[in-house]
Amino acid sequence: MAIPQTKMELRPLGNTGLKVSAVGFGASPLGSVFGPVAEDDAVATVREAFRLGINFFDTSPYYGATLSEKMLGKALKALQVPRSDYIVATKCGRYEEGFDFSAERVRKSIDESLERLQLDYVDILHCHDIEFGSLDQIVSETIPALQKLKQEGKTRFIGITGLPLDIFTYVLDRVPPGTVDVILSYCHYGVNDSALLDLLPYLKSKGVGVISASPLAMGLLTEQGPPEWHPASPELKSACKAAVGHCKSKGKKITKLALQYSLANKEISSVLVGMSSVSQVEENVAAVTELEGLGIDKETLSEVEAILEPVKNLTWPSGIPQ
């Protein structure tokens, strides 16, 4: 039975021809990465996301040691809608047991992922956190292996993900044009760090679609604060905490402001947000709707930007759980 859907803004993803929802569903929390999530809750969360117009779902075998893929697979199947109604991205190369970007592991990886997701193909297959491997191996071995999988119809498009922005130019400058369709960057397009902005013209010139994840900087821009393992410096954590406190004192939610800031740039096709409950889905979709209608709260945004100015674009070394 068709699920009546609310319209959400769909944005073109580079030259892929795909149109992805402005907010994408980050499925890592379905792997109980941030706390236990029951199967019924996972199914209800995905269903509500789909009903409210989210058509783009992102996962990885690394999230929850394959649990995220399994849960997302069950939830998508439960929708009982045509496969063409939703877009799924998964990843390869990063696993609970470590990194392996070899052609052999990539080939095995997609077959395992498709089985867990209960799908015949994924729309995007990313090399996951490539800065942990040899970038030359990514160029000469991993991406050619992904191209073969694309020819076989196991993935429609190829992507790369990671934290340092220079990994994207390194790879894209060394592969034939049109080889890599999408990049997924995280923690570099938010109120505290918008370094991705400088890379957008280059990515556009290459015809590469841009997905940005973690607009809340992996918990820095939330009232509960970042997890203990968060690698940000004390200075960055302290400034973000002050920004959160400022919003709270005004009765504003920094999570909404941060998400809206990331969504406002239409050059970014989709902003991925981790979700594990119906209420989170509703809150995120409400932020989009409000942005389209009332626009962003400019006064609070400028106050928050002033607080964060001393730490703007201050990142951290890669090498963290993600």
Side-chain angles (χ1 to χ4, degrees):
M1 192 177 81
I3 299 172
Q5 275 186 285
T6 309
K7 285 271 181 280
M8 183 185 285
E9 181 194 358
L10 299 179
R11 299 178 181 177
L13 183 62
N15 292 340
T16 63
L18 296 175
K19 290 198 167 167
V20 290
S21 48
V23 168
F25 189 106
S28 69
L30 299 189
S32 295
V33 173
F34 303 102
V37 178
E39 190 178 312
D40 287 353
D41 292 334
V43 169
T45 304
V46 168
R47 186 179 185 84
E48 184 67 354
F50 185 79
R51 188 182 75 78
L52 293 177
I54 293 173
N55 73 345
F56 179 41
F57 299 85
D58 174 271
T59 183
S60 164
Y62 175 61
Y63 301 149
T66 75
L67 183 60
S68 170
E69 285 187 328
K70 289 173 191 159
M71 293 285 250
L72 181 61
K74 286 175 180 174
L76 290 172
K77 191 168 188 181
L79 291 177
Q80 296 184 309
V81 297
R83 172 66 183 88
S84 56
D85 284 3
Y86 52 84
I87 294 162
V88 178
T90 193
K91 308 182 184 77
C92 62
R94 182 167 200 178
Y95 310 97
E96 188 189 25
E97 61 274 17
F99 293 89
D100 187 345
F101 292 102
S102 67
E104 184 186 2
R105 184 67 184 98
V106 164
R107 174 165 287 281
K108 194 164 163 258
S109 189
I110 185 61
D111 288 339
E112 292 165 353
S113 288
L114 291 174
E115 191 175 327
R116 286 189 288 262
L117 287 162
Q118 303 181 57
L119 298 174
D120 297 325
Y121 66 91
V122 290
D123 297 279
I124 304 163
L125 182 58
H126 291 288
C127 300
H128 194 178
D129 290 345
I130 60 173
E131 68 268 29
F132 292 99
S134 150
L135 294 183
D136 292 325
Q137 182 192 26
I138 301 292
V139 169
S140 62
E141 182 180 348
T142 319
I143 288 173
L146 293 185
Q147 286 180 286
K148 282 185 183 162
L149 295 174
K150 189 175 178 179
Q151 287 160 8
E152 291 168 22
K154 290 182 178 180
T155 185
R156 294 173 68 198
F157 301 104
I158 293 168
I160 50 179
T161 87
L163 182 67
L165 294 172
D166 57 4
I167 59 173
F168 299 121
T169 47
Y170 187 94
V171 171
L172 290 167
D173 284 344
R174 287 164 177 78
V175 296
T179 306
V180 172
D181 304 291
V182 186
I183 67 111
L184 191 167
S185 165
Y186 71 99
C187 290
H188 285 309
Y189 198 81
V191 195
N192 62 303
D193 185 332
S194 56
L196 179 61
L197 205 52
D198 293 339
L199 201 59
L200 293 178
Y202 168 87
L203 294 167
K204 196 169 187 176
S205 77
K206 296 276 187 183
V208 172
V210 182
I211 297 159
S212 181
S214 207
L216 309 181
M218 299 190 316
L220 286 175
L221 301 173
T222 60
E223 288 184 6
Q224 64 267 37
E228 288 206 5
W229 50 258
H230 200 294
S233 66
E235 185 193 3
L236 179 53
K237 284 180 179 171
S238 165
C240 289
K241 192 174 182 180
V244 171
H246 177 74
C247 286
K248 203 172 179 183
S249 71
K250 291 185 71 173
K252 309 280 185 179
K253 290 198 91 158
I254 195 156
T255 47
K256 180 171 79 172
L257 189 74
L259 177 55
Q260 289 180 333
Y261 177 91
S262 297
L263 284 166
N265 191 327
K266 309 267 181 164
E267 297 285 303
I268 292 166
S269 299
S270 190
V271 178
L272 284 178
V273 189
M275 305 186 219
S276 59
S277 69
V278 167
S279 61
Q280 284 173 354
V281 171
E282 288 169 348
E283 198 176 300
N284 291 326
V285 172
V288 188
T289 312
E290 189 182 296
L291 182 64
E292 288 169 358
L294 300 170
I296 201 160
D297 178 347
K298 289 195 175 76
E299 183 188 308
T300 307
L301 176 62
S302 64
E303 291 162 358
V304 164
E305 286 181 317
I307 293 168
L308 295 173
E309 184 55 41
V311 295
K312 182 78 173 175
N313 293 355
L314 189 64
T315 185
W316 48 81
S318 204
I320 48 136
Q322 189 234 92

